[in-house]
Amino acid sequence: ALARRDWKSEVPSCVEFSSCGGVQVADTSKDSVVLFFCPRASEAEFVEQILYETEEKRGDELMLTVMVNPLLVDMGVTGFGMAGRRLRERLIDGLIPAYYLRTLPWGALTRVWPQLFTVWQEDAEESTGYRLIKAMDRLPSNPEVEDIYDIENGEMSAPGEGFGLLNALGDFVNGMTRL
């Protein structure tokens, strides 16, 4: 509502604002681009519905869907069970994060597509103020990010090579205790 009121004179007439949830009255049959700003887990069902309906109406004519700072999976809302897993499989796993920035108390996790995901640590001795500590081809989980930091700073030893049942069990227990 605030964006609609405050930006009315600056936004072209072809741009329309709408919210997730409730009854959608806006005509989306001519949309080429769909933008979602900060959709939350409580709105995931509506986001999914809008995406499917727009895809049905526009098909290959839909040029782009952009989500800015989505938080569509929140364990407090979606939970650990099948509902959260199915939501990730249906909606989130197919998305490609083009730009990603998450600040951390000690650094940041970033990505600028097509480069890798990178974990950075604050370092006053570096000219940029940050030092790259790891690059990965996928988005690391929260426990993985913390492990990367701990290993880099000598607070934890790097995992041994190979797959062992006890190592896997230990990783599982450590992950569960961090929740």
Side-chain angles (χ1 to χ4, degrees):
L2 287 174
R4 192 176 299 134
R5 184 195 74 198
D6 294 346
W7 296 350
K8 191 162 187 101
S9 63
E10 299 174 31
V11 176
S13 61
C14 63
V15 174
E16 300 225 3
F17 293 98
S18 183
S19 61
C20 289
V23 178
Q24 296 295 318
V25 293
D27 178 21
T28 60
S29 63
K30 296 180 183 176
D31 291 355
S32 296
V33 177
V34 179
L35 301 171
F36 293 97
F37 290 95
C38 306
R40 297 293 177 232
S42 59
E43 301 164 332
E45 181 181 330
F46 299 110
V47 169
E48 188 174 19
Q49 178 183 353
I50 291 167
L51 287 174
Y52 287 134
E53 286 176 4
T54 306
E55 187 175 311
E56 275 181 19
K57 289 178 186 175
R58 298 291 292 161
D60 292 337
E61 296 173 6
L62 183 65
M63 303 288 187
L64 182 66
T65 299
V66 177
M67 292 192 194
V68 179
N69 295 337
L71 181 59
L72 295 172
V73 175
D74 178 357
M75 293 307 157
V77 177
T78 56
F80 289 100
M82 286 300 291
R85 185 175 297 124
R86 286 188 181 136
L87 174 66
R88 283 190 297 276
E89 288 171 355
R90 283 190 324 264
L91 185 60
I92 298 166
D93 289 348
L95 300 175
I96 299 172
Y99 297 97
Y100 189 89
L101 172 63
R102 181 172 34 160
T103 58
L104 304 164
W106 45 264
L109 173 61
T110 66
R111 180 183 194 191
V112 178
W113 189 84
Q115 281 86 23
L116 301 173
F117 288 93
T118 54
V119 181
W120 299 83
Q121 181 176 349
E122 288 181 350
D123 189 342
E125 296 176 10
E126 293 289 326
S127 61
T128 61
Y130 290 90
R131 176 173 45 92
L132 176 66
I133 58 176
K134 183 143 186 173
M136 303 175 76
D137 61 350
R138 61 178 175 73
L139 177 63
S141 66
N142 290 341
E144 286 176 304
V145 171
E146 293 302 323
D147 288 348
I148 291 167
Y149 174 80
D150 290 344
I151 290 168
E152 180 68 19
N153 292 286
E155 297 174 18
M156 182 175 143
S157 60
E161 293 296 319
F163 178 77
L165 179 61
L166 292 178
N167 285 342
L169 181 61
D171 290 344
F172 174 76
V173 171
N174 285 335
M176 292 304 285
T177 58
R178 288 186 181 146
L179 298 175

